[in-house]
């Protein structure tokens, strides 16, 4: 199904038929599986660290090698050949990787090397010696300046990282491991290295009406998306405490995003947010779900079966403001030992080298995990293996499990996961 105005379609519809009946023989289970022992993760294609360490070590030795090589070259060649380019290159190489003092010492070593060679050759009084020494001294001074600029840039980058980490903790705080008697785990995986927060969001709140959850994906990138994330989470935390129904929470979020879009003068097509909201009442073994154009959650049972929580009625994303769309929550059984998995399309739209989408329902069917944290660890590793370590979209994951009666703090079930497609 797609929206005529924005072309949005709830993720997961393209493989809906294949997802039905997960965990049933011949339908969703993967015949081959790689068994993981307790506490182990699936093997993931990681960059070779040994080669990187050797490269870094060689680069740090390069300034000394340039000075030694320059001395050998000067001694082994006739006087008309000069090794000054090698001596001058040494402090320039040291500038971006050494400290200021280290760069200074390399520069002094290069100057002393040139001076010593001219003393050995009895040419220190010639104009050529003066020119070569002036060249090496000047280049060494420039290397110290470059080192200073690089260090200032590194400090600014470190400050920016601290600010980004602080913003992430403020906007997307890690939920407690136990909320309202439920086991909880959350994960945010940025597509870009060193990125901390984007348009994906999650939140968990213990309320008088039960534990309420949200996972969403704001359209767009950058600071505007982060601002929208803050608006959604702020509105959710307030509405979750005050609204008696999950439909009321969704309506409050709709109004908050419509106001935000009007404030920024955004078209409905530009300012929407897909989201799935869930509610787990106390003492009631059900989970209620409202889906606003978001990938359908998965319910993993203690026997390995996986159920796709399809909405009975498709709904538009939040914030589109295209009229009144009454929400309708769907109730699903949530027995002890079951785990609810909510995620963004960064998971379901992750592709391998052949362009095949990652199918979380199929990959998880028939698999057991000690808890929600282990589930998310396995899922993140499996996605990296599926994509070869690369991803084009951020990924937010939220897993909530209802512990079985008498269940230990960490279950001792051996986790397994599917290996092939």
């Amino acid at each position: 199904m797609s929206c005529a105005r924005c072309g949005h379609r709830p993720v997961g519809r393209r493989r809906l038929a294949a997802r039905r009946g997960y965990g049933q023989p011949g339908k969703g289970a993967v015949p081959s599986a790689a068994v993981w022992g307790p506490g182990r993760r699936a093997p993931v294609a990681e960059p070779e660290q040994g080669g990187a360490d050797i490269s870094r070590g060689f680069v740090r030795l390069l300034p000394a090698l340039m000075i030694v090589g320059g001395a050998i070259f000067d001694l082994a060649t006739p006087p008309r050949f000069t090794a000054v380019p090698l001596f001058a290159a040494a402090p320039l190489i040291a500038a971006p990787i050494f400290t200021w003092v280290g760069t200074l010492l390399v520069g002094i070593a290069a100057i002393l090397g040139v001076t010593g060679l001219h003393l050995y050759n009895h040419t220190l009084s010639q104009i050529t010696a003066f020119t070569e020494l002036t060249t090496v001294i000047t280049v060494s001074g420039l290397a110290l300046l470059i080192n200073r600029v690089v260090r200032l840039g590194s400090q600014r980058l470190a400050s920016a990282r601290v600010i980004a980490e602080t913003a992430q903790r403020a906007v997307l705080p890690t939920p407690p491991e136990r909320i309202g008697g439920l086991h909880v785990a959350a994960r945010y995986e940025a597509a870009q290295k060193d990125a901390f927060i984007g348009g994906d969001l999650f939140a968990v709140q213990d309320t008088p009406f039960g534990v309420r959850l949200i996972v969403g994906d704001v359209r767009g990138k950058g600071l505007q998306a982060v601002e929208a994330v803050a608006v959604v989470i702020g509105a959710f935390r307030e509405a979750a405490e005050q609204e008696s129904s999950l439909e009321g929470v969704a309506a409050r979020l709709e109004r908050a995003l419509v106001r935000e879009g009007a404030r920024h003068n955004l078209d409905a097509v530009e300012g929407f947010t897909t989201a799935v909201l869930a509610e787990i009442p106390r003492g009631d073994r059900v989970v209620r779900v409202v889906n606003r154009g978001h990938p359908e959650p998965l319910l993993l049972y203690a026997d390995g079966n996986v159920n796709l929580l399809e909405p009975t009625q498709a709904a538009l994303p939040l914030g589109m403001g295209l009229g009144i769309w009454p929400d309708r929550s769907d109730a699903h059984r949530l027995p002890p030992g079951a785990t609810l998995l909510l995620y963004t399309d960064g998971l379901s739209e992750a592709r391998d080298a052949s362009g095949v989408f990652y199918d979380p329902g199929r990959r998880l069917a028939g698999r057991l995990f000690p808890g929600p944290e282990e589930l998310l660890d396995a899922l993140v590793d499996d996605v990296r293996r599926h994509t070869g370590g690369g991803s084009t979209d951020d990924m937010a994951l939220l897993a909530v499990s209802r512990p079985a009666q008498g269940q230990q703090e960490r279950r001792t079930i051996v986790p397994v996961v599917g290996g092939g497609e």
Side-chain angles (χ1 to χ4, degrees):
M1 173 182 175
S2 63
C3 172
R5 290 192 59 184
C6 66
H8 173 81
R9 55 189 174 87
V11 179
R13 294 293 181 187
R14 57 181 172 270
R15 301 190 302 279
L16 187 57
R19 287 183 173 180
R20 288 189 177 133
Y22 279 139
Q24 300 178 18
K27 290 186 178 181
V30 180
S32 62
V35 179
W36 302 348
R40 294 177 58 194
R41 300 184 186 178
V44 183
E46 296 289 351
E48 290 293 335
Q49 294 298 322
D53 292 339
I54 293 174
S55 298
R56 283 194 293 268
F58 175 76
V59 171
R60 295 191 67 85
L61 287 174
L62 198 53
L65 294 176
M66 300 293 283
I67 293 174
V68 173
I72 295 174
F73 178 86
D74 191 273
L75 293 173
T77 57
R80 67 177 181 273
F81 295 102
T82 179
V84 168
L86 296 177
F87 287 101
L92 287 178
I93 295 173
I97 57 176
F98 286 14
T99 63
W100 191 89
V101 173
T103 304
L104 176 63
L105 292 176
V106 171
I108 292 174
I111 295 169
L112 292 177
V114 174
T115 304
L117 287 172
H118 280 292
L119 286 172
Y120 178 81
N121 294 323
H122 305 288
T123 56
L124 189 59
S125 59
Q126 296 180 7
I127 188 64
T128 303
F130 175 78
T131 303
E132 291 180 352
L133 279 172
T134 302
T135 300
V136 176
I137 292 172
T138 303
V139 172
S140 297
L142 289 175
L144 292 173
L145 179 61
I146 293 172
N147 178 271
R148 181 62 177 167
V149 172
V150 170
R151 295 302 161 192
L152 287 175
S154 299
Q155 292 173 5
R156 291 190 182 120
L157 179 59
S159 299
R161 287 174 60 88
V162 171
I163 293 171
E165 290 175 347
T166 304
Q168 183 186 37
R169 287 193 294 267
V171 178
L172 291 180
T174 302
E177 295 181 359
R178 303 291 181 267
I179 299 180
L182 302 173
H183 296 185
V184 181
R187 191 71 54 81
Y188 187 94
E189 295 288 327
Q192 295 181 348
K193 185 180 180 181
D194 297 331
F196 293 96
I197 189 171
D200 290 10
L201 61 97
F202 57 77
V204 185
Q205 185 123 339
D206 191 8
T207 74
F209 313 101
V211 176
R212 286 175 168 174
L213 315 94
I214 183 174
V215 168
D217 188 356
V218 175
R219 185 184 186 277
K221 301 289 183 182
L223 293 177
Q224 194 172 68
V226 176
E227 184 177 356
V229 167
V231 170
V232 172
I233 291 181
F236 168 77
R237 295 200 181 281
E238 180 181 6
E241 291 285 345
Q242 299 176 355
E243 296 292 336
S244 60
S245 68
L246 199 59
E247 293 88 344
V249 176
R252 287 274 289 271
L253 295 180
E254 176 77 32
R255 292 194 294 270
L257 282 172
V258 169
R259 287 196 304 269
E260 183 69 9
R263 187 167 70 89
H264 288 285
N265 197 26
L266 292 178
D267 186 82
V269 177
E270 298 178 355
F272 68 82
T273 298
T274 67
V276 59
L277 296 93
E279 175 185 273
I280 305 175
R282 290 185 181 84
D284 198 356
R285 296 183 176 183
V286 300
V287 55
R288 299 189 182 97
V289 178
V290 169
N291 194 325
R292 295 298 296 268
H294 199 76
E296 295 91 341
L298 293 173
L299 195 54
L300 289 73
Y301 294 100
D303 59 2
N305 284 337
V306 179
N307 185 25
L308 183 72
L309 305 187
E310 307 171 40
T312 55
Q313 182 177 358
L316 291 173
L318 296 167
M320 297 198 74
L322 301 180
I324 299 176
W325 299 85
D327 291 296
R328 177 182 175 183
S329 64
D330 298 305
H332 305 272
R333 189 173 65 92
L334 185 66
T339 300
L340 177 67
L341 174 64
L342 297 89
Y343 53 91
T344 57
D345 59 7
L347 175 70
S348 56
E349 292 191 349
R351 303 178 188 229
D352 63 9
S354 302
V356 177
F357 288 102
Y358 185 84
D359 192 337
R362 177 175 173 80
R363 304 285 290 201
L364 295 173
R367 292 19 173 189
L368 303 177
F369 302 93
E373 187 69 32
E374 289 78 8
L375 166 62
L376 297 191
D377 286 341
L379 202 54
V380 170
D381 286 348
D382 201 36
V383 171
R384 287 175 181 164
R385 182 170 57 180
H386 178 81
T387 61
S391 182
T392 59
D393 197 3
D394 296 347
M395 179 171 62
L397 306 170
L398 180 61
V400 179
S401 66
R402 183 191 296 279
Q405 186 175 6
Q407 177 180 316
Q408 298 178 358
E409 186 71 11
R410 295 179 71 84
R411 291 190 291 177
T412 57
I413 300 173
V414 177
V416 297
V417 73
E421 286 293 337

